[in-house]
Structures are given as structure tokens and as C-alpha cells.
Amino acid sequence: MSSVKKIVLAYSGGLDTSIIIPWLKENYDDPEIIAVAGNVGQADELEGLEEKALKTGASKLIVADLVDEMVDDVIIPSMKAGAKYETYLLGTAFARPVIAKSLCEIALAEGADAICHGCTGKGNDQVRFELTIKHFAPGMKIIAPWREWSIKSRDEEIDFAEAHHVPLKITRETNYSKDKNLWHLSHEGLDLEDPANEPNYDKPGFLEMGVSPTQAPDVPTYVTLTFERGVPVAINGERKKASDIIADLNVYGGQNGIGIIDIVENRLVGMKDRGVYETPGGTILYKAHELLEMICVDKDTLHEKEKLAVDFADLVYNGKWYSPLREALSAFVDKTQEYVTGTVRVKLYKGNIIPAGMTSPYSLYSENLATFDESDYNQKDAEGFINLWGLPTKVQALRAQGKLQ
């Protein structure tokens, strides 16, 4: 431990990383600690972070602006893929690759001996951080205090913080484990650890990105999104970069109780874990993109893409963003998005996203073919098609009846 002279710490200012600085000072022979906060859209959580980091022993705080990199390089490619992990829209997993990549860049530039993170030994994030570090800095030492120290619980963490005069924004009663970025907010721990407990959505301060559907307005909100080759480029007719579109959608979705899920998911390490996730804007964006694909992508491609979306989501969830397979799947997805250009209108109402129309210059939908009125479609053509399509079924039936000649 004494050989480690300089450590780059992934620093959020939350409970875990707040006490890690004094713990590292005590247990690694007083190394220099450079705190690095990745700005991934967590807004007010960055306030007062520098003062706190310096006061608890860091030599400096570096804030890396990663919002657009996260959105453009990770979120949008995953959204185009339709990647969902067991209905979870991968909010925490989206941020980890760009944060860990930034940690590596800073650690190498600063001549650090090690990178430290505050992930527990039970979670997925330790894998996401460390696989990225192995990709960008394969020789770097990794320090994970939760796998080393004697602290066993969040209550004991608070005890440590109080003993070392580390200021905290939480209390023992509000001690949920949370992770926030532009895309989402997760809630875990306390009463949520028992799946039998209903989350108290209406309790003031529990939901942060919006309201519960029961508290949403009685009047719906209409939102229009425009896509070009699968990428969102405008909201309500105004062209904006993708991160700003997501920020606007968070407001509309939050006001209307959109994107709240309660899930028991299968963690990478093997256990099941219960969490509540808020993803207001992302849920709208995924749905609008899905609606546009319905009219722009052919059946075979769409169905194959839906199957591969599960594999894509597994790679993101399991920390393999920087992998050859993910890159190959993204190349496939980009090809499928060649004609996913158009406009989608949705109605937001009390937690629901209701389709309200979609148009595209590349639509495969033909009203002339689909209409119940007179059209160019020759219905008699179906007879020969069904006879050929059903021929194997007919032959098997004749065999079973002993009538096959």
C-alpha cells in the first residue's frame, strides 16, 4: 500500500466516496488523492463538491463534462438499438463507460499509481468501471474499498463519516442508495429491499425527476419528436442537440408521471435486486423511436433487430460497452436506421404515452394497400399464397391420416 503515492478517485460526493478519501489517507500511507467527478447531468449534486473534497483530504477536484459524450456515444446508439434490460432503460450503465474512460485519461495524464471507485462488491458498477479501466489503462492498479475495508453496512459508513467529521446530505432515515444522471435516477435500499413493500411515490422528496401518475395533471400534454436516421434532432419543431431534447423530455415526462418502474432485476453477480427507477425523458424517447420504426423498417429487419436488442442490452448492463461485439451490433443497428427519419407525436397522460400520429418520407405503410375500401390489392392472390404456405401443414396431416400418396 505504501507504494501507492497518487490515486485518482471516482468522486460523486455521496456516502461511499465521501468517506473513501479519509479511509484512503489512513490505509494507504497518506497518498495524494485527486477527486474526479464526471458531470453526466446530475445537476445540483455537483454543488459544493470541490469544497467538500478538499476539506476531506483531496488535493484537488476535477469535474469532467461528459454529458454530450454519454448521450451521443452511448445513450443514442443504445436507444437506436432498442436496448432494454428486463424493462430497465440502463440509466446507471449508460454513464459508467464514459466516467471510467475519463478516469483513465486523467490518471494517465496525472501520473497516478491507482484508480479508486466506491462500488460495492455486490453490484454491477464495479464490473462496468473495471472493464473500462482494463480497456483504457490495462496496467493500472484498481482500488475498491468495499472489497477491502471492515465496514459492513451503510449505517457503519455513516458512523465512519461522523467520526471523521465528513459532512453528509443524508440521514439514516433517508439513506437510499441513489444514482442520478441526465437520463435517470435510481432508488435502492431501506424499505425497497423487501419486494412486498409498495414504494411510497407520493411521499415528498422520494421522486425527484417528476411526480407519480396519481399526482399528474388531468389534462394531457402533446409532444412532437423529429428523427433523422434514428437520431432525435428536434422537439416540438425546434432543432436541438440530443442532450437538450432529453432535458426537455424530462420536464414533460416528469410533469406527467412518465417513466417510473419498480423492478426486481437479475444482477450480473448472480443475485436479484429490487430498485425503483425514474426515466421520464428516456421512456418517451424510446417509445417515439419505436413508433417511427413501425412504419419505416421492414418486418424481417425489425424482428431480427428486436432479438439482437436483448444481446445489446446485456452487453451494456454487463460492462462490455468497449467490446468488439457491441461495436459490431452498433454497425448493424446503424444500417437498420437508414430510413428511420420522420416525426412522431405522442400524448402524455398520467403515466401513459399514447401514440398520436407518425409520418415519414420513407414510410413503408400504404393506405392504398391496407384500406378496407377499394384498392389495387388483388385479394384473390391470397388463395395461391395460402395454398403454398400451408402445403407442409397439409402434407403432414395427410401422412398422419395415412392418405399421403
Side-chain angles (χ1 to χ4, degrees):
M1 291 185 176
S2 60
S3 64
V4 177
K5 303 297 184 183
K6 185 183 291 189
I7 301 171
V8 166
L9 168 66
Y11 186 73
S12 67
L15 177 57
D16 294 324
T17 57
S18 292
I19 68 168
I20 281 176
I21 294 178
W23 184 87
L24 287 172
K25 288 285 191 180
E26 291 180 1
N27 291 272
Y28 276 81
D29 196 22
D30 196 26
E32 179 186 356
I33 298 172
I34 300 172
V36 176
N39 176 15
V40 286
Q42 62 271 52
D44 58 352
E45 290 187 5
L46 293 171
E47 294 177 6
L49 216 56
E50 182 175 23
E51 179 184 0
K52 183 176 181 179
L54 297 178
K55 187 175 292 186
T56 51
S59 64
K60 60 182 173 180
L61 172 72
I62 298 174
V63 178
D65 188 359
L66 304 173
V67 174
D68 287 328
E69 182 179 353
M70 176 184 72
V71 170
D72 297 339
D73 294 354
V74 181
I75 290 178
I76 297 304
S78 299
M79 182 273 302
K80 290 191 297 183
K84 302 177 185 178
Y85 184 82
E86 301 175 355
T87 74
Y88 165 46
L89 294 185
L90 297 162
T92 304
F94 283 156
R96 296 312 183 230
V98 295
I99 294 173
K101 176 173 174 278
S102 179
L103 290 173
C104 292
E105 292 169 347
I106 292 169
L108 293 172
E110 294 281 348
D113 305 304
I115 293 174
C116 178
H117 64 73
C119 308
T120 74
K122 291 183 177 181
N124 306 301
D125 280 342
Q126 58 181 335
V127 181
R128 297 165 184 159
F129 270 113
E130 294 185 30
L131 262 59
T132 301
I133 294 169
K134 291 179 187 301
H135 179 80
F136 288 103
M140 186 69 64
K141 178 179 176 61
I142 298 171
I143 301 173
W146 267 107
R147 304 200 298 251
E148 295 182 26
W149 62 22
S150 60
I151 296 172
K152 302 298 183 185
S153 68
R154 289 179 69 82
D155 264 350
E156 289 186 11
E157 284 188 285
I158 294 175
D159 292 338
F160 185 96
E162 291 173 348
H164 290 74
H165 308 290
V166 176
L168 299 174
K169 293 182 179 181
I170 59 166
T171 68
R172 295 180 194 273
E173 291 72 35
T174 61
N175 187 22
Y176 288 104
S177 176
K178 296 187 179 187
D179 180 82
K180 187 178 184 181
N181 58 45
L182 177 68
W183 187 251
H184 95 140
L185 174 65
S186 62
H187 309 255
E188 294 176 325
L190 298 179
D191 56 304
L192 298 179
E193 291 186 347
D194 184 351
N197 292 331
E198 178 184 3
N200 193 351
Y201 296 127
D202 295 325
K203 181 180 179 181
F206 180 72
L207 295 176
E208 297 181 24
M209 297 185 74
V211 299
S212 72
T214 60
Q215 295 181 338
D218 294 331
V219 179
T221 299
Y222 285 88
V223 176
T224 300
L225 286 166
T226 303
F227 295 83
E228 292 178 359
R229 298 176 71 93
V231 178
V233 295
I235 181 168
N236 295 332
E238 183 179 357
R239 291 187 72 88
K240 293 185 176 183
K241 64 180 181 178
S243 59
D244 288 341
I245 290 174
I246 293 170
D248 288 349
L249 288 175
N250 280 339
V251 175
Y252 293 127
Q255 291 170 344
N256 288 278
I258 304 295
I260 303 167
I261 66 167
D262 178 359
I263 182 176
V264 176
E265 70 194 58
N266 290 292
R267 278 186 177 176
L268 174 58
V269 296
M271 70 184 71
K272 289 184 180 289
D273 176 68
R274 197 269 189 98
V276 168
Y277 299 108
E278 301 179 58
T279 319
T283 303
I284 301 169
L285 192 61
Y286 261 68
K287 182 62 176 179
H289 178 262
E290 178 185 301
L291 291 171
L292 187 59
E293 282 191 320
M294 287 197 304
I295 64 171
C296 294
V297 182
D298 67 280
K299 172 185 171 181
D300 288 345
T301 302
L302 185 62
H303 288 188
E304 189 65 28
K305 179 175 176 289
E306 288 172 343
K307 288 185 278 187
L308 291 175
V310 176
D311 296 330
F312 196 109
D314 279 346
L315 290 171
V316 179
Y317 188 86
N318 294 339
K320 292 190 174 183
W321 180 259
Y322 299 106
S323 68
L325 178 55
R326 198 280 307 163
E327 292 175 359
L329 290 179
S330 283
F332 164 78
V333 169
D334 285 343
K335 179 62 179 177
T336 71
Q337 302 299 290
E338 188 174 4
Y339 296 109
V340 184
T341 294
T343 299
V344 179
R345 190 170 183 245
V346 293
K347 180 166 65 175
L348 312 178
Y349 183 68
K350 292 189 177 296
N352 297 289
I353 305 172
I354 304 167
M358 50 267 197
T359 61
S360 170
Y362 304 111
S363 175
L364 293 172
Y365 179 82
S366 169
E367 186 176 354
N368 176 57
L369 291 175
T371 182
F372 285 101
D373 294 329
E374 183 178 352
S375 73
D376 294 335
Y377 181 81
N378 185 353
Q379 299 201 29
K380 189 169 179 58
D381 288 346
E383 182 178 349
F385 163 73
I386 295 169
N387 285 338
L388 292 177
W389 184 252
L391 183 60
T393 301
K394 180 178 179 179
V395 169
Q396 291 170 47
L398 291 172
R399 181 186 65 181
Q401 296 170 10
K403 297 179 181 180
L404 185 64
Q405 297 180 353

